[in-house]
Amino acid sequence: MIDVAILGFGTVGSGVADVLTENVKKIKRSSTVELNVKYIVDIRDFPESVYADKMVKDFRVVESDPDVKVVVETIGGTGVAFDFTKRALSAGKSVVTSNKELVATHGYELLTLAKKNNVNYLFEASVGGGIPILRPISQCLAGNDISEVFGILNGTTNYVLTQMIENNVEFDDALRQAQKLGYAEADPTADIEGLDACRKICILATLCFGKHIYPQYVPAEGITRVTLDDVAFADKIGYKIKLLGRAVKGKDDKIIPYVAAHLLPKKRLLANVSDVMNGIVVKGNAVGEVMFYGPGAGKLPTASAVAADVIDAAKHIGMSKLLFWEDGDAETVGSTDELVSQWYVRAKCQSDEAAASFGTISVVGSVGDELVFTTEPVSGAAFREKAEALQVQAAFRIMV
Ligand code: HSE
């Protein structure tokens, strides 16, 4: 019997408690390991909870109990969660988490600490919610030289965009619905400004390319500039607007990661990933293009990924799994300036002004005093230069 402690009894933590107590005993294929949720640590009181007898407020109870071999961190953020994770690993306990902010910011340091203590730090749930993606990249696709990874990495913004595209719902109303459904971060700014997707593309890029990519070096834009008019114009020319995280192998072994809204051709599989679903595409030189699809947020899908890591950690007590990468820095990251694409532009200008800057353009329409047009393929650097003379209100890359 392996004792487990859960830190944080929020949406994900309570889902993990349910899955570990209800499901794991039913699942024959996991039966080589018997799990017992011994403690749930939270500073709040939950007298009505079925887990009331497991609740403790003091992390030291977990830290000092040698029977607890696996700790689940579902607190979130990089404050207390970071402190407790370091202390648990140092006390010889494996840690499993869904905390993408912590993995993206301190993953290298925490993996180093785990290795030193011959325990594991596992975080399958940190990207793509319930989608198995990190193990497939690090194990099943290990034989590939990966050139690019990109995808819809945030369930909240995908839900909001889907509501705008399919039901003409205003941005704020759609976001409120996503919050009610338990998809959004505690502070939804992290979703809509692209920070959550940024943390996730950092983790994916780190795994795909083997060096830690830190979020502070990654340009990230969210969906706050996307209007119902943009959605309608994109539709008119055969595209859907999606927020993508993307990382491309660039020149001189640099990795070019970024987060931004893109126009995707409607026929592309990824364009049809709707609502809270996520879709992640990996391009490898042997496999070609593979896509992973599934629920990217929500209590039980995320708990599903956490529970799998708990089972894995419990099966590997005393064995540090071979998940590791090199540290990285600002030099690891290349600039989006070198990435070439067509652009969708909404700017306060006349069509002759837009053509004077960009040469050949294709006018899509206008809204008020704003012209909407698409450009020929240009690099990020050239785009910035050409757009300087125009009052650009929104500009999105167009994917082929
Ligand atoms: N707020 C995140 C999302 C939760 O919407 O994708 C899952 O990481």
Side-chain angles (χ1 to χ4, degrees), residues 12 98 100 125-130 152-159 178 182-188 190-191 196-197 200 276 278 295-298 302:
V12 179
S98 57
K100 52 258 163 164
S126 64
V127 180
I152 295 169
L153 305 177
N154 182 268
T156 301
T157 45
N158 204 34
Y159 181 85
Y183 302 154
E185 297 299 292
D187 174 2
D191 296 296
D196 180 76
K200 291 167 177 167
V276 73
N278 282 190
T302 310

Side-chain angles (χ1 to χ4, degrees), residues 56-287:
V56 293
K57 289 190 188 319
D58 189 347
F59 171 67
R60 284 172 298 187
V61 174
V62 171
E63 192 179 19
S64 60
D65 185 336
D67 291 339
V68 174
K69 302 288 188 217
V70 184
V71 172
V72 176
E73 183 272 298
T74 52
I75 298 168
T78 55
V80 175
F82 186 32
D83 179 40
F84 288 179
T85 300
K86 284 190 288 187
R87 284 164 59 185
L89 294 171
S90 302
K93 302 170 194 310
S94 288
V95 176
V96 170
T97 191
S98 57
N99 185 342
K100 52 258 163 164
E101 188 178 359
L102 190 57
V103 178
T105 317
H106 296 292
Y108 175 75
E109 182 183 343
L110 292 169
L111 280 174
T112 307
L113 186 60
K115 201 173 176 185
K116 186 174 150 209
N117 289 284
N118 202 28
V119 291
N120 293 293
Y121 184 51
L122 300 173
F123 38 86
E124 181 63 60
S126 64
V127 180
I131 307 173
I133 178 65
L134 303 188
R135 264 185 201 71
I137 288 175
S138 60
Q139 296 178 8
C140 315
L141 297 175
N144 284 265
D145 181 17
I146 294 175
S147 56
E148 182 170 345
V149 56
F150 63 94
I152 295 169
L153 305 177
N154 182 268
T156 301
T157 45
N158 204 34
Y159 181 85
V160 169
L161 288 172
T162 304
Q163 289 301 315
M164 290 172 76
I165 293 166
E166 290 180 6
N167 302 326
N168 214 31
V169 175
E170 293 286 352
F171 185 100
D172 289 343
D173 294 337
L175 178 59
R176 265 192 294 277
Q177 288 173 22
Q179 285 177 286
K180 266 197 209 142
L181 291 164
Y183 302 154
E185 297 299 292
D187 174 2
T189 320
D191 296 296
I192 61 172
E193 298 288 1
L195 303 180
D196 180 76
C198 178
R199 292 162 189 151
K200 291 167 177 167
I201 194 62
C202 286
I203 297 170
L204 287 173
T206 297
L207 276 172
C208 286
F209 303 111
K211 267 195 180 179
H212 197 111
I213 307 280
Y214 287 94
Q216 67 262 37
Y217 305 123
V218 178
E221 281 173 21
I223 58 166
T224 50
R225 279 171 189 259
V226 180
T227 63
L228 282 175
D229 289 319
D230 292 325
V231 162
F233 282 128
D235 180 64
K236 182 177 155 192
I237 55 172
Y239 293 89
K240 284 192 189 170
I241 300 183
K242 295 285 179 186
L243 183 69
L244 299 185
R246 185 175 177 218
V248 183
K249 200 181 237 186
K251 286 189 285 203
D252 306 323
D253 276 341
K254 302 239 188 209
I255 308 308
I256 306 171
Y258 69 97
V259 175
H262 288 67
L263 267 65
L264 291 179
K266 283 183 198 169
K267 65 179 186 319
R268 236 192 192 273
L269 211 47
L270 198 58
N272 296 292
V273 172
S274 302
D275 295 315
V276 73
M277 295 296 169
N278 282 190
I280 300 159
V281 176
V282 183
K283 288 187 186 176
N285 66 343
V287 74

